[in-house]
Amino acid sequence: MDTNHKKDKKYLAVFILALLLFPLIFPNGSWCEETMEQRVMNNTSHARLAVEQAWETYHHAALGGTLSSPMSQTELEMNLHLSRALLASAYEAEDRGDMKTAHKLIKQSMQITDKVIVESQEPKK
């Protein structure tokens, strides 16, 4: 037998052993859940920073008198409160381990936050 064939058999044996041990090391696919959980926690942190940035952008425009109208100011502030409430609900879902709901709430919060930032930067009409 040549040495390459021996190496191939050795690698195959190690691969099969790893496949057999993998379920014992990570029962119930917990390695996937940890990855999803970590991703949602990172998204939650990112969303929190985005909400803070939206509030700063809004306040800068409101104090500078550059918001397009008083009605726009009221709508933006209501949306900021909604975005913050969605983020709080996302944290609660995350604490319960409901990563799917947390991800959905984060997405909704981010959409509102992005819209508020854009609308806060629109010039007066």
Side-chain angles (χ1 to χ4, degrees), residues 15-104:
F15 179 73
I16 291 171
L17 181 61
L19 284 176
L20 294 172
L21 291 175
F22 196 78
L24 298 173
I25 297 169
F26 300 107
N28 300 325
S30 62
W31 59 277
C32 289
E33 291 170 15
E34 291 172 351
T35 302
M36 174 66 168
E37 184 175 328
Q38 186 63 38
R39 185 174 40 222
V40 169
M41 289 188 337
N42 288 339
N43 287 342
T44 308
S45 297
H46 179 73
R48 180 182 52 80
L49 293 173
V51 169
E52 289 174 12
Q53 179 64 41
W55 274 99
E56 287 179 27
T57 303
Y58 162 77
H59 280 131
H60 179 73
L63 293 173
T66 59
L67 290 175
S68 60
S69 70
M71 188 157 50
S72 172
Q73 181 173 349
T74 301
E75 182 181 336
L76 290 171
E77 191 163 339
M78 286 174 37
N79 284 337
L80 283 165
H81 285 293
L82 175 58
S83 182
R84 189 175 275 165
L86 289 167
L87 185 58
S89 296
Y91 275 112
E92 290 170 4
E94 185 180 301
D95 288 344
R96 290 191 313 269
D98 186 355
M99 298 304 151
K100 185 176 179 182
T101 299
H103 180 73
K104 178 182 169 188

